[in-house]
Amino acid sequence: MIHTKRFGEALQKLGFTFYTGVPCSFLKNLINYAINECEYIGATNEGDAMAIASGAFLGGKRPVVLMQNSGLTNAVSPLVSLNYPFRIPLLGFVSLRGEPGVPDEPQHELMGQITTQMLELMQVQWQFLSSDLAEAKQQLVHAAHVIEQNLPFFFVVKKGTFEQEILQKQEQFLTPNQVKQVKNKADQLPSRYEALSVINAMKDSTTVQLATTGKTGRELYEIEDDKSNFYMVGSMGCVSSLGLGLALTQQNTDIVVIDGDASLLMRMGCLAINGYYHPPNMLHILLDNNAHDSTGGQKTVSHNIDFVEIAASCGYMKSIYVHSLEELETSIKEWKTTKGLTFLHMKIATGSRESLGRPGIKPHAVKERLQMFLHSKSPRLRGVDQT
């Protein structure tokens, strides 16, 4: 078995100090170490953990993601449509529940057979983590080398690999909502393009804009392509988790997350995690047209959801319903002055501009120029944090 603390210290020496994930009994001791000794963000699902880690990487950290192999299925979307096209590397530890020949629960049987095959299909390099500490340290050096090539690397962890690490008492704190403003008049229902134009006009030299997948990113690109913009081209539902990881690691930068109703509905657990960790430099804007606009306008169920109430109950400092473009501008101005994790919900019209194009810049180039932008604001940023 590996001495968990010594293994964790080896990770720290290689620059891996930011952890996120979803617990698994096989990984509990490494998770306990991360909680005790490092920065650990507990995610509601593995896909969001991948996005949080990816945001942390953009912000200059070397992130680690921890998950059970059943959760690897939840991480597939960001692995193949976020990390792969944007060339965002990270270090993963995935347990091997259901290992062939080892008694386990029936729900793990198939996943145990296909875990490593899934990693290979996704072109993720991997190794079984050795239970010998000296060998495991050498494996870490190899993994770090792979990550330096902008590729993810995963360790597959068998039962009993880590020695016991006692979880120290975890502090729990409340993040109560302070401002909640609900709908109280008719909606203006501007177009998405009009709303994005107002948002974009409010940015300054310390602002990063993250636009969700689909027509939101495409229209923002058409309004103004900027080195501080990030256009999600996949991993639907992950944009605010990406924003969380970035906001926590780039605290002197304003992170504006532009979300859509279908996207947010897909991964609503992100609201709870965002609210709990409450980065004050993050503004979460929901442009809600009650439709899957990019795929033909099929209706979502957003008309049946009180997003303002949900965000408030999840711990967003401010949760505000915005009725018009004027209110949108006023709310953004106020946030820039007062800060605090803020959620703005605005209803918009369906449809988009005719002959709407797509970003003419490759995803990995979007990532690289954003890193350069952040580096210009934060001298310590060199793609990854070596401290």
Side-chain angles (χ1 to χ4, degrees):
M1 297 176 72
I2 292 176
H3 189 286
T4 305
K5 189 168 186 177
R6 291 176 185 169
F7 183 77
E9 290 170 348
L11 279 164
Q12 286 203 53
K13 287 181 180 179
L14 290 169
F16 296 101
T17 58
F18 184 98
Y19 291 74
T20 182
V22 180
C24 173
S25 59
F26 286 16
L27 296 173
K28 64 182 179 182
N29 294 306
L30 183 57
I31 293 171
N32 290 351
Y33 169 82
I35 294 172
N36 292 344
E37 305 290 341
C38 301
E39 184 175 7
Y40 179 83
I41 305 298
T44 53
N45 64 68
E46 296 78 7
D48 285 346
M50 294 293 299
I52 293 168
S54 297
F57 172 79
L58 294 175
K61 295 289 186 177
R62 276 190 166 179
V64 180
V65 177
L66 305 148
M67 67 184 73
Q68 188 178 106
N69 53 346
S70 59
L72 182 61
T73 60
N74 205 327
V76 167
S77 175
L79 267 171
V80 301
S81 63
L82 175 62
N83 298 90
Y84 179 84
F86 286 97
R87 298 180 189 171
I88 296 176
L90 46 76
L91 179 61
F93 289 83
V94 57
S95 66
L96 188 59
R97 296 298 305 266
E99 179 183 357
V102 178
D104 208 330
E105 300 296 327
Q107 68 269 24
H108 300 303
E109 181 179 352
L110 179 58
M111 196 62 218
Q113 297 173 24
I114 66 173
T115 296
T116 59
Q117 297 174 47
M118 285 184 61
L119 291 171
E120 289 170 359
L121 283 171
M122 293 186 290
Q123 301 181 25
V124 175
Q125 296 189 45
W126 67 275
Q127 290 180 1
F128 288 113
L129 183 63
S130 173
S131 58
D132 176 78
L133 180 59
E135 186 176 349
K137 286 182 177 180
Q138 290 302 311
Q139 289 181 298
L140 286 180
V141 172
H142 172 72
H145 177 68
V146 172
I147 287 168
E148 286 170 359
Q149 302 172 55
N150 285 324
L151 298 170
F153 190 95
F154 269 64
F155 285 113
V156 179
V157 182
K158 297 183 178 182
K159 185 177 183 180
T161 297
F162 291 103
E163 290 184 4
Q164 185 178 25
E165 176 75 12
I166 302 298
L167 179 64
Q168 298 172 8
K169 185 177 180 180
Q170 290 182 265
E171 292 185 13
Q172 286 189 310
F173 50 86
L174 295 175
T175 54
N177 169 255
Q178 297 181 17
V179 175
K180 181 175 68 176
Q181 297 177 11
V182 300
K183 177 179 172 62
N184 55 42
K185 56 186 174 183
D187 294 306
Q188 184 184 23
L189 294 177
S191 68
R192 184 192 301 104
Y193 193 92
E194 290 171 323
L196 288 171
S197 296
V198 169
I199 296 167
N200 186 69
M202 299 299 295
K203 76 174 187 293
D204 56 31
S205 61
T206 63
T207 303
V208 168
Q209 296 180 139
L210 309 177
T212 190
T213 188
K215 293 188 176 180
T216 302
R218 291 166 63 185
E219 290 191 348
L220 181 61
Y221 175 82
E222 189 169 288
I223 290 166
E224 183 186 12
D225 181 33
D226 192 88
K227 60 187 177 182
S228 62
N229 288 348
F230 189 93
Y231 315 108
M232 297 280 276
V233 295
S235 51
M236 184 170 170
C238 288
V239 69
S240 77
S241 295
L242 184 80
L244 175 64
L246 182 54
L248 291 172
T249 53
Q250 284 286 307
Q251 297 179 12
N252 294 323
T253 304
D254 289 346
I255 308 302
V256 177
V257 175
I258 310 170
D259 217 337
D261 52 296
S263 171
L264 184 53
L265 285 167
M266 185 172 284
R267 293 185 180 271
M268 286 182 67
C270 67
L271 292 172
I273 300 304
N274 296 343
Y276 184 74
Y277 292 100
H278 64 281
N281 56 325
M282 181 166 143
L283 174 64
H284 190 178
I285 303 174
L286 173 60
L287 301 181
D288 178 4
N289 64 0
N290 193 207
H292 294 271
D293 224 7
S294 297
T295 59
Q298 302 89 351
K299 291 296 183 183
T300 70
V301 297
S302 66
H303 65 286
N304 200 43
I305 305 292
D306 190 338
F307 286 109
V308 168
E309 188 67 47
I310 294 171
S313 67
C314 286
Y316 278 67
M317 181 178 175
K318 298 178 183 179
S319 187
I320 299 169
Y321 192 97
V322 174
H323 305 84
S324 66
L325 294 174
E326 182 181 2
E327 288 185 9
L328 178 62
E329 180 177 345
T330 299
S331 296
I332 296 174
K333 282 182 178 178
E334 181 179 349
W335 174 75
K336 283 185 168 292
T337 300
T338 61
K339 296 298 172 60
L341 178 65
T342 297
F343 182 82
L344 304 180
H345 180 197
M346 184 178 193
K347 288 280 190 177
I348 60 172
T350 55
S352 61
R353 292 169 65 88
E354 294 184 8
S355 303
L356 180 63
R358 297 177 184 274
I361 180 172
K362 296 292 185 181
H364 67 86
V366 170
K367 175 206 73 172
E368 289 160 6
R369 70 179 189 178
L370 177 58
Q371 287 180 297
M372 292 179 64
F373 170 80
L374 293 169
H375 175 259
S376 71
K377 305 301 176 187
S378 176
R380 74 172 179 82
L381 185 57
R382 295 291 188 274
V384 291
D385 183 15
Q386 299 291 337
T387 60

